[in-house]
Amino acid sequence: MPELPEVETVVRSLAPRLVGQRILAITTTPSRVFRGQQQVITACLPGQQIHQVQRYGKNILLTLDRHRVRIHLGMTGKLLFAPAPSTHPRAMLALEDALLVFDDIRQFGRFELLPAEESGPVLGEDALEIAPATFAARLRERRGAIKNLLLNQVFLRGMGNIYTDEALYLARIHPLCPGFLVPRRKALALHTSMRALLQEAIAAGGSSISDYVDASGQRGAFQDRHQVYGKEGDPCPRCGAAIRRMVVCQRGTHYCPRCQRMPSVR
DNA sequence: CGGAGCCCCTGTAAGC
DNA sequence: TGCTTACAGGGGCTCC
């Protein structure tokens, strides 16, 4: 499931091969990933040059001559350069020097056309860029559970289920702890561990749990360094207590019941 | 604001 | 072995 590090890895593998290239042709198969824009997309993309490839949270933005393409990988979306194998191609872009395929098994992703200057919905600050003090101050303003806040892209952009569980574990914060009840010291610790975690994951090429691969079809390596995600029942690497799993906003949530305590109410 | 619940979608794993 | 069912979850939506 692509989150910030996976999307960043994809963008890095795409950029050198896309910038400056002209889109010669595009073919699509009917899919909800186009949100009704399939006709417009096939009509508008050919002939335009790609000027920039950026990450905006978990979105990939391609800046063209007259438009911008916003790609979200959802759960199983991939951007692949031929000849990397593709099983569920939704869009195929013929470029001057490459063939790029947007593949998405479950179609939770999106491939949509935006006006040139737009980036889609306005999201919160990037998880890798937000300043520690700002992060702590924002948390203090909210009553919602910390896990929900970190997953909320309008609050903070880039974090997904896996890295949220890992970051909360590293900072020893219970996933259900309300934002304003996270002590400033722990909020700063969370900022530090989140940043380090994301950077290490990017350096490892992201986490490949099931489907994720970069644009060359390469899997990431960070899944081997997860401490709690997918580790229900395993001993906590720090204290040995059994890692627990619960559901928070419909997401499997993994944590150490001993290391990650709720603040005591008194 | 915030939480709960549902939906989309399909491959995989578990259960019978 | 083969069928059925549950589950995975990013994000968008409604409802209270």
Side-chain angles (χ1 to χ4, degrees):
Chain A
M1 41 222 80
E3 304 181 23
L4 187 154
E6 290 75 32
V7 177
E8 180 66 26
T9 302
V10 170
V11 165
R12 290 183 188 185
S13 62
L14 285 176
R17 295 185 65 181
L18 289 189
V19 173
Q21 291 275 306
R22 193 170 297 281
I23 299 169
L24 303 179
I26 175 168
T27 50
T28 56
T29 52
S31 167
R32 65 188 304 275
V33 301
F34 300 111
R35 315 286 154 146
Q37 287 187 308
Q38 198 173 354
Q39 306 300 324
V40 193
I41 287 169
T42 50
C44 293
L45 292 200
Q48 296 205 57
Q49 196 177 10
I50 302 171
H51 298 285
Q52 208 178 8
V53 182
Q54 295 165 273
R55 180 180 63 77
Y56 180 62
K58 302 180 206 172
N59 295 276
I60 295 164
L61 303 177
L62 306 182
T63 304
L64 311 178
D65 295 326
R66 298 180 301 281
H67 295 96
R68 193 172 253 172
V69 175
R70 171 190 171 216
I71 299 167
H72 195 294
L73 301 177
M75 287 290 295
T76 54
K78 301 171 194 170
L79 281 165
L80 299 165
F81 284 114
S86 160
T87 56
H88 296 70
R90 309 297 177 184
M92 278 165 286
L93 289 130
L95 308 169
E96 290 161 294
D97 293 333
L99 182 63
L100 182 69
V101 178
F102 176 60
D103 182 286
D104 190 2
I105 300 172
R106 295 186 210 176
Q107 305 180 68
F108 282 4
R110 57 168 74 209
F111 188 112
E112 63 179 4
L113 198 63
L114 300 172
E117 308 294 316
E118 291 184 22
S119 305
V122 176
L123 306 177
E125 282 198 66
D126 194 273
L128 262 186
E129 291 169 9
I130 192 167
T134 311
F135 180 68
R138 294 261 197 287
L139 275 188
R140 203 165 29 190
E141 295 167 350
R142 305 290 290 258
R143 309 183 72 79
I146 180 82
K147 165 121 182 179
N148 302 42
L149 292 173
L150 295 184
L151 287 178
N152 181 346
Q153 302 297 300
V154 177
F155 179 77
L156 181 74
R157 73 178 118 105
M159 293 292 280
N161 200 43
I162 298 173
Y163 295 103
T164 294
D165 282 4
E166 294 294 321
L168 290 174
Y169 170 77
L170 292 174
R172 302 173 191 245
I173 300 170
H174 194 285
L176 291 179
C177 181
F180 75 106
L181 286 185
V182 176
R184 182 176 162 83
R185 184 179 56 76
K186 281 208 173 191
L188 296 175
L190 175 60
H191 179 275
T192 303
S193 52
M194 175 173 77
R195 211 184 143 76
L197 178 72
L198 294 173
Q199 282 173 339
E200 285 168 29
I202 291 170
S207 302
S208 293
I209 294 292
S210 54
D211 299 276
Y212 168 74
V213 289
D214 73 7
S216 308
Q218 289 291 309
R219 287 170 57 83
F222 201 72
Q223 65 279 4
D224 299 331
R225 287 156 64 185
H226 293 167
Q227 312 275 295
V228 289
Y229 184 81
K231 307 285 185 187
E232 184 184 16
D234 287 4
C236 163
R238 269 193 311 241
C239 78
I243 298 299
R244 213 169 273 176
R245 181 182 186 279
M246 63 178 172
V247 175
V248 179
C249 40
Q250 320 299 114
R251 306 286 177 262
T253 298
H254 311 75
Y255 68 106
C256 171
R258 194 184 295 168
C259 295
Q260 297 167 265
R261 298 287 179 87
M262 281 290 270
S264 53
V265 280
R266 81 168 74 180

